Amino acid sequence: MAILEIKHVSKFFGGLAANADVSFALEQGMIMGLIGPNGAGKTTLFNCITGYYPPSKGEVLFDGRRMNGLQPNKVCKLGMARTWQKVRPLAKLSVLDNVMVGALCRTNSLKIAGELAMEQLKVVRLEQKARFPAGGLPIGERKKLEVARVLATQPKLLLLDEVMGGLNPAESAEIIQLILDIKGRGITQMVIEHDMKAIMRISDRIVVLNSGEKLAEGNPHEVVSNPDVIAAYLGQD
Amino acid sequence: MTTLRTLFADTSGRSTVTIIAVLAVCAALCTVPFFVHNPYLLHIMILIFLSTIMGESWNILGGYTGQYSVGHAAYFGTGAYATMMMLQFRQVAPWYGVWVGLAAALVVALVIGSICFRLRGPYFVLASIAVAEILRLCTLNLPSFTNGAEGILATGLPPFTIGETVITDFSTKVPFYYIGLALALLTILVTWLVQHSKLGYFFQAIREDQDAAHSLGISLTLYKNIALVISAMLTSLAGSFYAIYVGFVDPPTVMALDISVQIVLICIIGGIGTIFGPVIGALVLVPLSEALRSNLIASLIFKIGLVSPDSKFGGFLNDNLAHAHTLIYGILVVIVILFMPDGILGFLKKLTARRKGGEA
Ligand SMILES: Nc1ncnc2c1ncn2[C@@H]1O[C@H](COP(=O)(O)OP(=O)(O)O)[C@@H](O)[C@H]1O
Ligand SMILES: [Mg+2]
């Protein structure tokens, strides 16, 4: 069953089509890789899906429900959560408080939220830093905090926007394992990533965007052997 | 910053100490009128309470939720006018009139919120100023309703009675002292409750990053408006209290921009987004502005013999220092903001943290 369906989504910024007639579907429980050169429209697509702004054309169906025009907070409540490519820690709050804000999406009790948040911090191995102000974390830990915070909202579908960007190989490996663990918990994921090796390893399916359009879709093997994809990536260099 | 969590859970020891300290200070403050009979001193204390109420109220919207309203005179004026109009035009006692003020402030807040919360950052600030100015101009220009520029003078307060017993007839400053103290404690309590609830988390999330908060399931419109309504209603209480204490309201004294600025300064000077920041702000700003206004500085300079009052320069100081009090006040405020960006409370916390760090 498709948990997310993108149907003919376009997004225009003035004359620029950041997304042009993009369609694909996401099956329950799988990891979808979303790749493409810088400026291909990947983040814009996330923004359209999660209600940050409405698509100019087309529609987004989540669990069969039309999402167009829903505010991001409603989208989150319905079970779809996203991280930000440019991380957005709540700088003056502690790491634990950051994750608690996510957990409070589902409960009114600070006590339950605190326990839930601590659990998620253990999942990303940040529990040692629970009392630190989030603004003081190095980039690798900020990325982990983003993931812990959205996990605390108990999503069915998780959209990860370059959570490995700017990380060293050891940190990236940790995140890859984390994404596979999340899949093990039955949470569907869509992952934007530049590291081709990582995306090949974790994705069940891959969608390639180029200049806002969908260039290719298929399993990792099909996608890397697609001549259009090779041309797009070589053309960029 | 002390995070919610550290105050709440694992350092309950420190939290208990704070509560005991607050209770002790309250008890001490309750006894003050028994041995302080100087009306001027009581007046200063009442002004400190008033500033605390105003600061704590603003702090919920500005300090915790990060929505820098510079139009809180609108709510102060609404409370002050509602109470006064009920008293003078309808012969309703202020302790009932206050509720009219609260209801009016609620309505004004929701109207202002629906206009200003469409905007973010500096645009929100400008809109909050503009809307408050509109309210002031309406008050000024509807004389049949508000008495316009003439203002409203209270011709006397009815005695406060419970059953047949007269509790007070408001002939001294003492009842106002206790009302001010009670209201100041109320606003501190409300702030404490907010900080230790889901509301506090959501308010601060909105302050730190609106888009992140939104994507984590927080309705920006709903929670900004909740913060505004709490803030506006408490500010209206401050206005009502001011009105019955001073016994006179007119647009420049309860609705003007400088009141809005004054409210913000109390928090900035004391420490924004903290429970006791506004208390510190009030403790510093009220005596400071009183000292400047009453020319205490000039007399101090003469007393320590820095300048003779008979000299030409002394005469100049004597004549002009009192008039320059807003200027000096402004300069001092700028100095504090430059050197203590987190307010006095933040500065003290940093000092103690540094000392602890040095010992370790
Ligand atoms: N808010 C916006 N206003 C105008 N142009 C935008 C906006 N957001 C993105 N764009 C443009 O849309 C294109 C796609 O951007 P983006 O989705 O961030 O790409 P990617 O995430 O794939 O690197 C880029 O050309 C970018 O400059
Ligand atoms: Mg991007």
Side-chain angles (χ1 to χ4, degrees):
Chain A
M1 194 199 81
I3 186 170
L4 183 73
E5 284 176 83
I6 317 274
K7 290 182 168 175
H8 307 291
V9 164
S10 300
K11 179 69 192 177
F12 304 108
F13 293 114
L16 175 86
N19 291 142
D21 199 27
V22 177
S23 299
F24 59 87
L26 216 67
E27 294 302 316
Q28 171 77 49
M30 74 174 189
I31 297 179
M32 163 81 85
L34 186 60
I35 61 172
N38 269 327
K42 305 180 295 293
T43 299
T44 303
L45 189 61
F46 269 21
N47 288 340
C48 287
I49 296 173
T50 53
Y52 187 65
Y53 33 62
S56 312
K57 278 190 197 158
E59 60 178 0
V60 175
L61 300 177
F62 176 58
D63 263 347
R65 178 180 173 153
R66 204 179 131 93
M67 303 296 277
N68 299 46
L70 284 191
Q71 292 279 308
N73 57 307
K74 290 270 168 55
V75 170
C76 177
K77 289 252 191 230
L78 287 172
M80 176 151 68
R82 61 92 56 93
T83 64
W84 300 87
Q85 175 176 356
K86 189 183 164 294
V87 289
R88 294 175 172 273
L90 309 172
K92 281 195 180 166
L93 301 188
S94 73
V95 167
L96 183 63
D97 286 344
N98 266 262
V99 186
M100 278 179 74
V101 169
L104 285 167
C105 172
R106 301 279 173 222
T107 171
N108 288 321
S109 149
L110 290 192
K111 191 165 170 288
I112 295 174
E115 286 161 6
L116 230 150
M118 207 59 203
E119 245 171 65
Q120 304 311 325
L121 283 180
K122 283 188 185 131
V123 169
V124 301
R125 296 203 201 85
L126 265 186
E127 72 270 25
Q128 307 290 345
K129 295 278 178 89
R131 314 270 172 223
F132 281 57
L137 294 182
I139 182 68
E141 291 178 343
R142 285 180 187 218
K143 295 265 179 182
K144 287 183 182 176
L145 175 60
E146 282 277 314
V147 177
R149 200 167 64 179
V150 284
L151 278 178
T153 68
Q154 303 178 14
K156 288 185 258 182
L157 170 62
L158 199 54
L159 308 179
L160 301 176
D161 195 347
E162 296 199 22
V163 278
M164 286 175 237
L167 302 193
N168 64 37
E171 289 170 327
S172 291
E174 242 185 290
I175 297 272
I176 290 175
Q177 191 51 50
L178 179 61
I179 291 174
L180 293 174
D181 289 346
I182 294 171
K183 181 186 181 183
R185 285 156 62 180
I187 299 172
T188 316
Q189 295 171 87
M190 176 140 64
V191 181
I192 297 178
E193 210 47 69
H194 271 303
D195 181 347
M196 280 304 280
K197 255 197 215 133
I199 209 83
M200 293 286 291
R201 205 182 127 207
I202 58 176
S203 306
D204 299 300
R205 261 184 108 66
I206 293 177
V207 163
V208 188
L209 287 186
N210 191 28
S211 314
E213 293 175 28
K214 186 171 93 172
L215 189 66
E217 178 180 356
N219 66 40
H221 181 71
E222 285 164 1
V223 163
V224 280
S225 50
N226 182 316
D228 290 340
V229 175
I230 295 167
Y233 270 80
L234 288 180
Q236 199 198 12
D237 297 335
Chain B
M1 181 188 120
T2 323
T3 58
L4 306 174
R5 188 69 194 171
T6 44
L7 256 181
F8 195 57
D10 62 336
T11 47
S12 55
R14 199 205 296 171
S15 181
T16 318
V17 171
T18 313
I19 291 171
I20 291 174
V22 168
L23 289 180
V25 171
C26 291
L29 284 174
C30 284
T31 63
V32 163
F34 292 105
F35 50 86
V36 174
H37 300 292
N38 179 339
Y40 184 63
L41 267 183
L42 283 179
H43 173 68
I44 299 286
M45 296 290 288
I46 292 168
L47 289 186
I48 290 175
F49 293 148
L50 180 68
S51 286
T52 302
I53 305 165
M54 292 156 82
E56 293 283 346
S57 312
W58 184 86
N59 201 26
I60 289 182
L61 182 67
Y64 283 92
T65 321
Q67 307 302 303
Y68 283 23
S69 156
V70 189
H72 260 47
Y75 314 113
F76 188 82
T78 300
Y81 260 94
T83 309
M84 211 57 161
M85 283 159 72
M86 291 312 283
L87 178 67
Q88 284 307 113
F89 303 162
R90 295 263 181 282
Q91 286 74 50
V92 174
W95 39 99
Y96 301 116
V98 161
W99 298 95
V100 178
L102 286 172
L106 172 71
V107 173
V108 173
L110 289 177
V111 171
I112 292 186
S114 68
I115 298 168
C116 295
F117 285 144
R118 292 161 196 271
L119 305 165
R120 288 187 181 189
Y123 304 102
F124 172 82
V125 175
L126 291 177
S128 72
I129 296 175
V131 177
E133 278 298 285
I134 291 172
L135 197 70
R136 181 181 69 83
L137 291 172
C138 290
T139 314
L140 194 60
N141 291 302
L142 290 172
S144 55
F145 183 52
T146 61
N147 244 9
E150 229 176 273
I152 308 171
L153 184 68
T155 42
L157 286 177
F160 183 68
T161 56
I162 294 179
E164 297 293 296
T165 353
V166 175
I167 304 292
T168 174
D169 58 0
F170 299 101
S171 56
T172 67
K173 292 196 186 299
V174 173
F176 295 107
Y177 176 94
Y178 284 113
I179 297 172
L181 176 61
L183 290 179
L185 291 177
L186 173 74
T187 53
I188 292 172
L189 179 70
V190 169
T191 308
W192 189 90
L193 287 174
V194 163
Q195 181 165 325
H196 293 91
S197 73
K198 179 169 172 165
L199 281 184
Y201 279 80
F202 283 7
F203 289 174
Q204 296 187 74
I206 292 172
R207 177 189 69 203
E208 293 299 311
D209 191 323
Q210 299 201 29
D211 290 326
H214 210 181
S215 76
L216 290 170
I218 299 172
S219 165
L220 300 182
T221 323
L222 177 65
Y223 286 96
K224 281 183 191 176
N225 275 299
I226 293 178
L228 173 63
V229 163
I230 298 174
S231 181
M233 290 175 79
L234 292 177
T235 306
S236 129
L237 273 184
S240 300
F241 175 56
Y242 172 88
I244 59 159
Y245 177 56
V246 174
F248 174 71
V249 297
D250 70 348
T253 52
V254 298
M255 287 236 174
L257 179 61
D258 55 333
I259 298 185
S260 300
V261 173
Q262 184 69 29
I263 293 176
V264 179
L265 281 182
I266 295 165
C267 293
I268 292 187
I269 298 290
I272 233 167
T274 57
I275 293 183
F276 293 108
V279 181
I280 309 254
L283 279 172
V284 171
L285 285 185
V286 170
L288 177 67
S289 100
E290 281 302 310
L292 289 172
R293 213 194 308 264
S294 58
N295 224 4
L296 273 183
I297 302 223
S299 5
L300 195 72
I301 292 176
F302 300 144
K303 214 174 242 168
I304 53 176
L306 217 56
V307 180
S308 151
D310 305 323
S311 70
K312 219 173 172 196
F313 185 56
F316 172 80
L317 282 184
N318 203 12
D319 291 344
N320 290 298
L321 257 181
H323 300 299
H325 82 265
T326 34
L327 176 69
I328 298 173
Y329 185 81
I331 292 172
L332 287 174
V333 165
V334 169
I335 290 174
V336 171
I337 291 172
L338 278 180
F339 292 101
M340 307 177 189
D342 295 322
I344 294 173
L345 197 63
F347 182 74
L348 292 178
K349 270 186 190 158
K350 226 180 267 169
L351 273 191
T352 50
R354 203 177 295 159
R355 191 174 312 147
K356 266 184 210 158
E359 282 167 7

